[in-house]
Amino acid sequence: MDWNGYTGNILTINLTSGKISVEKENVADLRTFIGGIGMNCKLAADLIKPKTDPLSPENVIIIGAGPLIGTITPGSSRIIGISKFPATGAIANSCGSMSFGYHLKQAGFDHVVITGKADHPVYLKIYDDDIELCSAEKLWGRDINQTTDSLRAQYGDCGVIAIGQAGENLVLFSLALVDKTSTFGRGGLGAIMGFKNLKAIVTKGTKGIDIANPTEFMKLYEKLLERIRNYKHRDNWIKLGMLRNTPLAAMLGARGERKKAKQCNERTYLKKLKKYRFACPSCPIGDKDLLEIKEGEYSGLTNYTSSVINPFSLFLSKNINTYNEAVKAFDEMSRYGLDSITVPALIDFCSELYNRGILTQEMSGIEWKRDFNTFIKVIEMITKREGFGNLLADGWKRILEVYEDFEKDMVVIKGLEQVFDPRMLRLGTMEFEQVVNPKGAHVASGGSPTYLSPGRPLDMFTPHFYRMGIPESAFKRIFSPPRKEMGINVGRLTRYAEDWYTVLTSQGLCARAQMNRFWGLESVTAFYNAVTGFDLQPADLRLAAERTWNLLKILNVREGFSRKDDKFPAQWFKPMQFGEMKLNFQDFYGGIQITPEIATQLLDDYYDERGWDIQTGIPTSQKLKELGLEKYL
Amino acid sequence: MPGEDTSKIILHEENCTGCRICQFICSFTYFKKFIPEKAHIQVVTHKIPPVISFRDSCTHCLKCVNHCLYGALELMEGGQ
Ligand code: SF4
Ligand code: SF4
Ligand code: SF4
């Protein structure tokens, strides 16, 4: 058969034996489990045995690049990785952007499957048909930037997934970076690669991607490009990226941290930090940042990041006071491959224990001051697993075993700390999704019109519902919240947010707001058909997305997860106090305080909307039958 | 090296994001597939700013200029 969009190839590498093999994808599978995330989940179900130790040769890393990747389709560069993650014990997906997917597809592969464990440090080279495990002895011990730069000095333009010292030292919340820019694998992909002695994957491709229906494709593309060209906020997005709509400054202001709020803005970014704007392959609204510290002790330091809001988020830490400190600390974590959300949360936790006299200087080897130097010191301690850093490097699950009395004080869900606090941002689908995502607190798959716009008028939802392909029959239920004043039922809506995310991720499309807004279920289907030659209806794509999400859930049911793990953090129900001001856990419109009863109802509604058992939070046998997934549970 | 005709295209490499849209459109026009490696325009994207060059085979059709949305490729006035 002719492969269009898809390359049709799955590359498997066994690091233990060194065996490299290529298999053809099964077309029937591609109809059932579409693209990157769909086939990733299917491969994971086949290859990751239940109860596998995440840090064992048996754990598998699967990287998928959807059918639109490697083409000119706007924003089609998003890869997806699945594995069993050590920070949480969950089998979860994680996305990354930049050029890895582009090169992998151009080299002729849709998926890479990595099993086993090498007996010495290696990197995997995928250069068209030249596939090789190469010695990484010289790269071991070096940070992500050094590793990536060194590989690029050798291979020129290429996509690189690399880990730093945190991954090598098996820090359970270490991650990898794609092209030293995009985080990949929150929850411990760094440690999984480190355990496998896999320092990096480098890929470069020159084979090209065929299109089933070029005329139809170009028609669709030109039409979409015109819309993007004429989008009135496009220039502003390119100028500011995600800084355009981040609530950070408002959050800092609300906390009374005016000095920081004043730095967290456009002026600082443009005048003091921005060095260069770059983009993923095929993206017409690029927002990747090269930052540079321009004055002071760290003058000349440059940092590649998927957005300036990543370092700016560190302003929320009491240890960070200036933008230069934020960039320096963020850069340090990036190079080592540490999760920049986890580290400040751990510092908050330890500082609190220290203040209460539970953690002493003798015990931890460090005086927990709320300053920059302490932040940097903790980064080092964790990365190198020095002293108390050795415990911190094991992540929340282990820490809360040692300090079990504090579990109620922590905003940790299934082993990952929260990303968005609904007391700051109210309860939208992203905030809610942190509770139900199989991976643990994760926001990316909860995107919907509630994103960063608390109080958005209700009538603005319906057009987006049509765009996301939510069936009309669900509208009434979504507009029926537990209390009338809430306007919207975020539990029910979250189901469709996840499905929409899955549709985009199956193709390899960027889900960021500025790209997401141009896509709808119908246009994604039209592109998919024109590129691949399949003849699907929008409803088919939607059903495949639902099937994929259910399979992801089942993989985690097999690991023992159920409703008991989808827990609203107790802290959310207590007000956040800043001086005189209190922030409560409120609904999206701010009219209702969310009580444990309302939260429970929303959770029931989420399961109900998914067709899962409300008591257990597990897909019912009827649902599995309907989706053809019986054999997986 | 720029071909004779492409000298009518002014490069503003400092605006180039490395998106490769120019290479995608060029290769699709001439090879009916997305194969940037073969495009008549080449962009080294891991350099800041990216390095843009034209192959002698460039036909000066200006498709890349029309599709670059970042202002990195510009047609010199009177250059058509
Ligand atoms: S919006 Fe950003 S993340 Fe998305 S494709 Fe463009 S550059 Fe990549
Ligand atoms: S020249 Fe334009 S289209 Fe080509 S890579 Fe640079 S910004 Fe993209
Ligand atoms: S002018 Fe035409 S042939 Fe030359 S590089 Fe641009 S698109 Fe290709």
Side-chain angles (χ1 to χ4, degrees), chain B residues 6 9 22 26 30 40-41 54 58-64:
Chain B
T6 46
I9 300 173
C22 52
C26 180
Y30 295 97
H40 304 309
I41 179 169
F54 290 91
C58 165
T59 68
H60 189 46
C61 70
L62 302 181
K63 281 224 163 165
C64 54

Side-chain angles (χ1 to χ4, degrees), chain A residues 283, chain B residues 15-23 41 43 45 50 52 64 67-73:
Chain A
C283 181
Chain B
N15 291 336
C16 176
T17 59
C19 71
R20 293 190 195 274
I21 290 174
C22 52
Q23 292 189 279
I41 179 169
V43 188
T45 63
I52 306 171
C64 54
H67 278 78
C68 173
L69 265 65
Y70 294 102
L73 305 174

Side-chain angles (χ1 to χ4, degrees), chain A residues 7-35:
Chain A
T7 66
N9 297 316
I10 301 172
L11 173 66
T12 301
I13 294 99
N14 183 325
L15 294 169
T16 310
S17 66
K19 185 169 173 247
I20 293 166
S21 54
V22 180
E23 262 173 81
K24 276 284 161 210
E25 270 159 292
N26 179 330
V27 179
D29 286 344
L30 289 182
R31 289 191 176 277
T32 321
F33 301 100
I34 291 172

Side-chain angles (χ1 to χ4, degrees), chain A residues 75 97 278-280 283 285-288 510 512 514-515:
Chain A
S97 55
F278 54 104
C280 300
C283 181
I285 318 186
D287 64 353
K288 301 295 189 194
C510 176
R512 284 194 176 179
Q514 73 266 39
M515 291 308 302

Side-chain angles (χ1 to χ4, degrees), chain A residues 71-76 221 224-225 228 282-284 509-510 515 519 527:
Chain A
T71 76
I72 199 171
T73 309
S76 56
Y221 172 67
L224 178 57
L225 193 69
I228 295 176
S282 82
C283 181
L509 289 171
C510 176
M515 291 308 302
W519 290 106
F527 267 80

Side-chain angles (χ1 to χ4, degrees), chain A residues 171-182:
Chain A
V171 175
L172 295 197
F173 49 88
S174 55
L175 23 85
L177 293 187
V178 186
D179 296 353
K180 60 183 177 179
T181 302
S182 162

